[in-house]
Amino acid sequence: MTSETLPPHHTAQLTNRARTFSMLFSSTPRGARLARRLAAHRFDAWGIPYDSDPHDALTLIVGELCANAVRHGHVPGRDFRLRLSRDTTAVRVEVTDTRTERAPSTPAASGAVSEGGRGLLLVTHLATHWSWHPRADGPGKTVWAEYDLPTGS
């Protein structure tokens, strides 16, 4: 299910009202890929064009948070939720899963070569702020990241 506070065909300059998108995805690699692709499309529709630095950074943030929800937050039979919101100055990405016991920790920069474990390190470097909190309406957690848009975006 999606929600949009402004009509999709709205082309006037942004007001102070936020634009939002929210949808459940299967807690699978395929669900994470679909979430990333739909987020990329939404960013472009919101005036953050493909192949721009903000678009690339935001799409990477979504991809990493969704991949973490699938890898570390998966509970069989439970989906994860992606929620995006944009106002005139920033975009907020929230990914909610249903696993409580695996809270994200601040990543440590490591010189060791490994195949995984760098997702939150990338989010730390790309996002203006990020953190997590327990899910308010049930078991699980929400990991969020905010990205400040360049002036004029």
Side-chain angles (χ1 to χ4, degrees):
M1 178 165 284
T2 65
S3 63
E4 181 79 37
T5 57
L6 296 174
H9 62 278
H10 181 79
T11 57
Q13 238 180 358
L14 281 174
T15 65
N16 284 333
R17 288 190 340 188
R19 294 179 178 190
T20 61
F21 169 85
S22 181
M23 189 170 192
L24 287 173
F25 294 91
S26 64
S27 190
T28 63
R30 187 177 202 172
R33 279 192 308 274
L34 178 59
R36 181 178 44 82
R37 290 180 62 110
L38 287 176
H41 177 73
R42 185 62 51 170
F43 297 144
D44 184 63
W46 285 349
I48 306 167
Y50 286 105
D51 295 325
S52 67
D53 289 341
H55 188 279
D56 292 347
L58 284 163
T59 303
L60 183 57
I61 289 168
V62 168
E64 293 300 335
L65 294 184
C66 291
N68 282 352
V70 169
R71 175 174 266 175
H72 304 294
H74 174 75
V75 174
R78 301 280 175 97
D79 297 331
F80 72 90
R81 176 174 298 281
L82 170 65
R83 183 177 185 280
L84 307 172
S85 58
R86 181 194 186 202
D87 63 20
T88 55
T89 62
V91 174
R92 183 176 173 104
V93 176
E94 298 177 9
V95 177
T96 302
D97 64 47
T98 55
R99 193 148 191 186
T100 305
E101 70 276 7
R102 288 194 175 179
S105 59
T106 303
S110 172
V113 176
S114 66
E115 293 209 15
R118 293 192 191 101
L120 286 179
L121 187 58
L122 288 171
V123 171
T124 298
H125 288 291
L126 293 171
T128 308
H129 311 283
W130 80 271
S131 189
W132 73 278
H133 56 82
R135 185 174 165 196
D137 59 349
K141 65 191 167 302
T142 298
V143 181
W144 60 267
E146 292 179 349
Y147 181 89
D148 286 346
L149 295 168
T151 306
S153 291

